[in-house]
Amino acid sequence: MQALAFWVLAVGAVASGVAVFVVDSMARATFALLASFLCVGLTLLLIDLHYLGVLVVLMMIMEMLVMAVFMIMYMMNPAGLMPMTMVHNHRGALAIAGGVFAVLAAGIWAVRW
């Protein structure tokens, strides 16, 4: 029974984690992230890490709800539910990310470990 619960929670955590990047509104992404953290917290409870499990569940519920409330208050679209893109200046972001990756990769090879 525990193995089945583990796999259900693991699939739920991964699926809702993927949904964070698939949905097209900030509010939906927030609640998908909340679902992922809840699955992780319940998994911790399942493996008898009671303190960490309760801590993750309580902290993530409050954090995500506060984030959703502030998003709804300050978003220009109604309640953060309108479709939107999460990327601005796509080419510039790709160039900066590629440059940062190249510098970090070069740093790995340049430092004597």
Side-chain angles (χ1 to χ4, degrees), residues 12-30:
V14 171
S16 56
V18 168
V20 170
F21 298 100
V22 174
V23 297
D24 59 354
S25 79
M26 297 286 286
R28 290 184 184 104
T30 299

Side-chain angles (χ1 to χ4, degrees), residues 3-94:
L4 177 66
F6 171 80
W7 285 108
V8 168
L9 290 170
V11 169
V14 171
S16 56
V18 168
V20 170
F21 298 100
V22 174
V23 297
D24 59 354
S25 79
M26 297 286 286
R28 290 184 184 104
T30 299
F31 288 114
L33 188 59
L34 173 61
S36 178
F37 279 128
L38 286 178
C39 288
V40 171
L42 293 175
T43 302
L44 290 172
L45 288 174
L46 188 67
I47 59 173
D48 291 331
L49 293 173
H50 302 293
Y51 179 75
L52 286 176
V54 170
L55 189 71
V56 167
V57 168
L58 292 178
M59 280 181 53
M60 290 304 124
I61 286 174
M62 291 311 297
E63 178 185 353
M64 294 299 149
L65 290 179
V66 167
M67 188 167 78
V69 166
F70 275 91
M71 264 192 312
I72 290 169
M73 283 191 318
Y74 293 118
M75 293 285 291
M76 292 177 57
N77 59 24
L81 294 173
M82 300 280 294
M84 61 185 287
T85 179
M86 304 292 183
V87 179
H88 305 284
N89 190 7
H90 190 68
R91 287 186 183 159
L94 283 175

